[in-house]
Amino acid sequence: MNVFGVDIGGSGIKGAPVDLERGALTEERHKVLTPQPATPDGVAGCVAEVVEHFGWTGPVGVTFPGVVTGSTIRTAANVDQSWIGVDAGTLIGARLGGLPVTVLNDADAAGIAEMTFGAGRGRKGTVILLTLGTGIGSAVFVDGRLVPNTELGHLELKGHDAETRASTKAKEDEDLSWEHWATRRVRKYLAHVEMLFSPELFIIGGGVSRKADRFLPLIEGIRAEIVPAELQNNAGIVGAGMAAAGRAGA
């Protein structure tokens, strides 16, 4: 069965049909820039543009960079604050002409995909996926079961929101070298998360996972195994598609 996944990010909104047998995109993903400000109406319009690019008429899964309960948005760190309290499933579904829409946290979606098709396949114990991008998303699994909406990017690190120190955006905004970012920012953040949760495995996702060889070998002193996401930055789209399939009864 093929379904459709859309991944809403702070800088881009991307989507594609997903093959649930392989956990892979069936066509090259289509991406548009996230509108600024990233208001509900503006983002919903971009989601519709992505879906309509493929002429899709079935169930759609959509990720959101914040806490999602049911399909209602509870936090909105990297998009417009007017999202808070919005029923995203109803809003986006209306823009898609009534197509069934399932909404979930973006990192949770990426984690579900990685635990099923990627680096977390078959792993027991505590596994934590972290997406490093505009912010830091997190997905925590205990023996394969998701603890939803953990949002560990907002842990305090040296008096700051962790994602303002260790995200890819922080690296770019401050023009940090790979070594400085990996050893002084990401390592300290991972050590803090490890102290709190003692995971067996960290999976590092987000767009920067494509360049894992530039920074993961520099991170030392972490007891947990650290690996890049196998689905890289497509994990959110695949996870969104999986969520849509659940809504469709697949």
Side-chain angles (χ1 to χ4, degrees):
M1 176 182 177
N2 290 349
V3 288
F4 199 95
V6 179
D7 191 12
I8 297 173
S11 59
I13 297 170
K14 53 191 180 291
V18 177
D19 179 346
L20 291 179
E21 293 297 318
R22 300 184 297 118
L25 310 188
T26 65
E27 299 183 52
E28 184 176 349
R29 70 190 189 186
H30 182 64
K31 181 176 180 179
V32 299
L33 294 178
T34 302
Q36 302 299 330
T39 61
D41 283 342
V43 170
C46 288
V47 171
E49 180 181 343
V50 170
V51 174
E52 290 163 3
H53 173 81
F54 295 90
W56 186 261
T57 57
V60 176
V62 178
T63 78
F64 186 85
V67 172
V68 183
T69 55
S71 66
T72 299
I73 306 306
R74 301 301 183 191
T75 67
N78 293 303
V79 291
D80 197 79
Q81 294 295 298
S82 59
W83 271 103
I84 296 174
V86 170
D87 184 328
T90 298
L91 172 67
I92 295 171
R95 293 298 289 268
L96 294 177
L99 296 182
V101 173
T102 304
V103 183
L104 72 165
N105 174 267
D106 56 349
D108 286 352
I112 291 167
E114 283 293 326
M115 293 299 288
T116 305
F117 298 107
R121 209 172 30 233
R123 296 294 294 257
K124 299 297 184 183
T126 302
V127 176
I128 299 179
L129 173 132
L130 298 168
T131 57
L132 306 182
T134 304
I136 297 177
S138 62
V140 177
F141 295 85
V142 180
D143 290 334
R145 299 191 64 173
L146 173 68
V147 180
N149 291 313
T150 48
E151 291 290 283
L152 301 182
H154 301 299
L155 290 171
E156 185 177 314
L157 189 63
K158 293 190 176 297
H160 300 276
D161 220 26
E163 70 178 19
T164 68
R165 304 280 296 169
S167 65
T168 306
K169 184 176 187 295
K171 178 188 182 302
E172 295 170 351
D173 287 351
E174 299 180 49
D175 196 24
L176 302 176
S177 68
W178 286 104
E179 182 178 11
H180 183 106
W181 181 65
T183 61
R184 301 191 187 184
R185 301 292 184 86
V186 179
R187 188 198 68 77
K188 290 179 179 179
Y189 173 62
L190 292 178
H192 188 55
V193 175
E194 183 171 64
M195 179 268 293
L196 293 171
F197 293 93
S198 301
E200 282 76 26
L201 175 66
F202 281 116
I203 302 172
I204 306 300
V208 77
S209 60
R210 294 191 301 269
K211 302 176 181 177
D213 60 327
R214 301 288 300 274
F215 70 97
L216 287 190
L218 302 174
I219 298 174
E220 299 178 344
I222 305 298
R223 292 186 299 275
E225 183 183 358
I226 309 172
V227 300
E230 289 183 13
L231 304 182
Q232 298 183 345
N233 211 22
N234 288 337
I237 296 174
V238 173
M242 294 173 68
R247 166 78 176 257

